[in-house]
Amino acid sequence: MNAMTMLDKTAAAVDTSAWPAAIRQEFEREAKAPNGCVGHTLVSETDKVRVWMIRLAPGERIGFHRHVLDYFWTAVTASRGRQHLMDGTTVEYTYQPGETRHETYGPGEFKVHDLENIGDGEMVFLTVETLQSSNPPLPIPASARQQAAA
């Protein structure tokens, strides 16, 4: 089985109209201060990988973040999501449990996007970044790291 990327996934909807002002302003803020938190919680980290969890209730959104490292994500739950992409488009996708996509970035390449749960159930994703990629990892604030159980 070949590793599939987002280029292999067909959007359920694509919108090229202008973004709402608040979304545009958030995108511009991220451009000035790149956000390397590609999930809500960094649940594990070694010298080779970072493992992130994303959990979104219906209507909840994770803001703009920047992918600079090679990574893959796996959908844990069936869900529907909306993303604002750095090319100015807005796309919607349907995800199935176990669906996995791989992304690779060359030197200086990156992707910026957000993710909103537009379904009626919880959206859960696991994202694994490879630290030995073409680009150095972005710094992660301590607040994003899962606290170890006592």
Side-chain angles (χ1 to χ4, degrees):
M1 175 187 248
N2 291 334
M4 297 180 75
T5 72
M6 285 304 288
L7 297 176
D8 301 309
K9 187 168 181 65
T10 303
V14 177
D15 183 356
T16 58
S17 59
W19 293 347
I23 295 287
R24 191 176 62 252
Q25 290 165 357
E26 181 187 330
F27 178 78
E28 291 166 1
R29 283 192 302 275
E30 193 286 336
K32 295 175 184 164
N35 175 15
C37 293
V38 302
H40 284 120
T41 307
L42 181 62
V43 296
S44 180
E45 184 174 20
T46 71
D47 60 337
K48 293 184 175 39
V49 297
R50 286 179 176 167
V51 181
W52 295 88
M53 182 68 69
I54 297 174
R55 290 177 120 36
L56 296 171
E60 196 174 14
R61 178 178 165 270
I62 185 170
F64 285 104
H65 53 277
R66 184 173 300 237
H67 293 276
V68 298
L69 301 174
D70 298 346
Y71 75 102
F72 70 88
W73 57 258
T74 297
V76 178
T77 58
S79 57
R80 290 183 30 228
R82 176 181 299 126
Q83 297 180 42
H84 296 92
L85 304 176
M86 62 191 227
D87 68 0
T89 60
T90 303
V91 293
E92 294 180 4
Y93 291 105
T94 300
Y95 305 98
Q96 298 304 317
E99 180 179 347
T100 301
R101 302 291 168 168
H102 297 257
E103 303 296 328
T104 304
Y105 300 98
E109 293 180 337
F110 61 91
K111 175 175 73 177
V112 176
H113 72 111
D114 67 349
L115 178 62
E116 179 183 1
N117 181 352
I118 59 170
D120 49 12
E122 184 179 39
M123 173 185 273
V124 181
F125 280 88
L126 188 67
T127 299
V128 179
E129 296 180 294
T130 305
L131 291 170
Q132 297 168 342
S133 296
S134 295
N135 299 300
L138 293 172
I140 302 301
S143 61
R145 298 176 190 279
Q146 178 172 289
Q147 300 301 313

